[in-house]
Amino acid sequence: MLPTIDWQGDVIVMVDQRKLPAEEIYVRCHTAQEVARAIRTMVIRGAPAIGVAAAMGIALGLRRSTAKGTRQFAVEFQKICEMMGATRPTAVNLFWAIARMKRAFSEGALAGESPEELAGRLEREARAIHDEDVANCRSMGGFGAEVLPDGARVLTHCNAGALATAGYGSALGVIRAAVEQGKQIAVFADETRPFLQGARLTAWELVRDGINTTVITESMAGPLMRAGEIDVVIVGADRIAANGDTANKIGTYTVAVLAHEHKLPFYVAAPLSTIDLATPDGDHIPIEERDQREITHLRTWRLTPVGAKTRNPAFDVTPHRYIAGIITERGIFTPPYSESLPRAFDTIAPASAPPALPPSRRFGGTNRRGEPSI
Ligand code: MRU
């Protein structure tokens, strides 16, 4: 499996996603500060992956603590959590992972654990978050593969693959699962300006797995749909609001509108840690504005004239009405999402692996007449 992030002894090791595919370089983080910098500067990116990195970074920071007692240890813990929370604002998995680490800390503190014991507990929790994310991706793949018929030509945007998770991927996990079932799947990867996650990362992963991959620029998606060359769209997510509105990489909204115009199903694949029931709708999702240099330059090469203004919102929101289904580790949820999504959390036992469910679980809401929507 692809080595997105790994805990090796005293260091957290990540493949440098800024350098792929030209170079496969590994960044070794020795401190929580280094992990926070790696998230901020996109060494590691993708919603579930940054949640995992933050959890590991918190545990690493506390493992190196020289705090004399539990009180000082708690102050350090709080500071490190704040630093992680300030790295990137849109992907809710980051805040979900920090909240989970805080819960683990509180449980240990209530049990009267020493700083060493608390540090051990935090490390176990971070490792569990990592391992559960891989298992969740596999589950999503199992459920989601049913929406990809044999011979499907699938468009995806950005990178929602092994590199964006602890392994296997969300949207790309669904594609991988369909391929593992023996289906012939052809993938169109949007290049995804300005960071080129599609051209560099999605294509790299899929080609490594021997999956039929064609890179296109964003502007080609519409004409290809019109020409009947795409059957289905599947993307990942950074935050899904309670009503199903979904924040994902900038350009996703455009793809969703195009899919709607061409009557193509548009699916989102994301773990429950991406669903934020506390955010009512997409208007309340904070959208990160990144460095203008990502637009004005390609590495060291200046693209735009000095004096031209630029904008660089890193994410957009796709209204729920364009989304045919949300594929999670607990099944596929369909509209109306304000009814179906809360049910995803109905039977969740906190901090434990989800129970295995039979394949092909679909959860719909009810229509206006109170009948199941599917
Ligand atoms: O800015 P990035 O590269 O972190 O944005 C990533 C995305 O938008 C992904 O599509 C999303 O996080 C889903 S990853 C499984």
Side-chain angles (χ1 to χ4, degrees):
M1 204 167 65
L2 270 174
T4 311
I5 180 165
D6 195 18
W7 193 316
Q8 296 175 1
D10 278 346
V11 287
I12 291 167
V13 183
M14 316 168 186
V15 63
D16 190 342
Q17 301 196 28
R18 301 167 305 181
K19 301 283 197 310
L20 289 171
E23 296 168 277
E24 196 173 324
I25 288 176
Y26 289 83
V27 170
R28 298 168 66 79
C29 298
H30 301 84
T31 63
Q33 285 71 14
E34 287 176 7
V35 174
R37 192 177 320 122
I39 296 172
R40 207 170 35 246
T41 60
M42 310 276 276
V43 169
I44 188 161
R45 33 63 52 200
I50 62 180
V52 171
M56 285 187 173
I58 291 168
L60 181 70
L62 272 293
R63 208 164 103 150
R64 299 183 148 251
S65 166
T66 51
K68 295 284 173 291
T70 312
R71 189 179 295 248
Q72 199 187 342
F73 193 73
V75 171
E76 280 182 22
F77 174 70
Q78 189 56 33
K79 275 196 188 142
I80 292 177
C81 288
E82 276 166 25
M83 176 178 67
M84 290 298 168
T87 51
R88 297 193 70 191
T90 303
V92 75
N93 309 61
L94 177 75
F95 306 100
W96 171 88
I98 294 170
R100 205 168 134 169
M101 296 299 278
K102 284 185 176 172
R103 221 164 36 237
F105 187 94
S106 300
E107 280 166 16
L110 275 174
E113 290 179 0
S114 67
E116 293 73 34
E117 288 168 326
L118 282 167
R121 179 185 280 270
L122 291 171
E123 183 174 333
R124 286 193 299 280
E125 190 70 6
R127 288 182 188 276
I129 290 173
H130 174 281
D131 295 350
E132 285 169 31
D133 190 58
V134 179
N136 289 341
C137 286
R138 293 253 173 209
S139 263
M140 270 183 267
F143 290 121
E146 75 169 60
V147 309
L148 302 183
D150 191 18
R153 296 156 304 170
V154 187
L155 176 70
T156 190
H157 188 77
C158 193
N159 171 264
L163 290 167
T165 59
Y168 201 66
S170 55
L172 297 194
V174 170
I175 290 168
R176 285 194 165 98
V179 170
E180 283 163 16
Q181 289 173 4
K183 294 177 185 169
Q184 294 291 325
I185 303 289
V187 181
F188 287 91
D190 269 349
E191 72 170 350
T192 318
R193 276 281 291 155
F195 201 70
L196 304 177
Q197 287 95 332
R200 297 188 302 104
L201 308 177
T202 294
W204 183 72
E205 278 193 29
L206 294 178
V207 166
R208 248 173 89 120
D209 277 8
I211 296 173
N212 179 349
T213 306
T214 305
V215 177
I216 59 171
T217 66
E218 271 85 314
S219 50
M220 296 170 191
L224 284 181
M225 288 180 184
R226 188 151 189 260
E229 293 190 41
I230 288 166
D231 303 304
V232 49
V233 180
I234 181 161
V235 298
D238 289 85
R239 190 185 296 227
I240 300 172
N243 71 344
D245 289 354
T246 294
N248 191 47
K249 180 53 54 195
I250 190 79
T252 304
Y253 167 59
T254 313
V255 176
V257 173
L258 284 167
H260 180 75
E261 169 67 16
H262 295 93
K263 301 187 173 40
L264 299 175
F266 177 96
Y267 288 98
V268 171
L272 296 192
S273 52
T274 307
I275 299 174
D276 178 13
L277 296 182
T279 295
D281 56 46
D283 290 344
H284 290 83
I285 299 177
I287 300 293
E288 178 181 10
E289 182 93 22
R290 288 190 64 81
D291 194 335
Q292 305 305 302
R293 201 182 152 86
E294 289 180 358
I295 306 290
T296 57
H297 288 72
L298 198 58
R299 299 251 155 104
T300 56
W301 188 20
R302 177 139 204 138
L303 297 172
T304 61
V306 176
K309 288 187 277 190
T310 49
R311 286 288 313 276
N312 190 12
F315 301 95
D316 61 26
V317 173
T318 297
H320 59 87
R321 66 178 178 280
Y322 294 130
I323 302 171
I326 297 176
I327 301 161
T328 74
E329 68 272 31
R330 297 209 144 204
I332 303 178
F333 293 81
T334 54
Y337 295 112
S338 47
E339 288 184 20
S340 63
L341 289 182
R343 285 169 43 205
F345 295 88
D346 271 358
T347 54
I348 278 217
S352 67
L357 297 174
S360 193
R361 281 198 77 168
R362 277 184 176 251
F363 300 81
T366 47
N367 64 21
R368 285 201 198 89
R369 292 187 301 282
E371 300 153 349
S373 64
I374 50 161

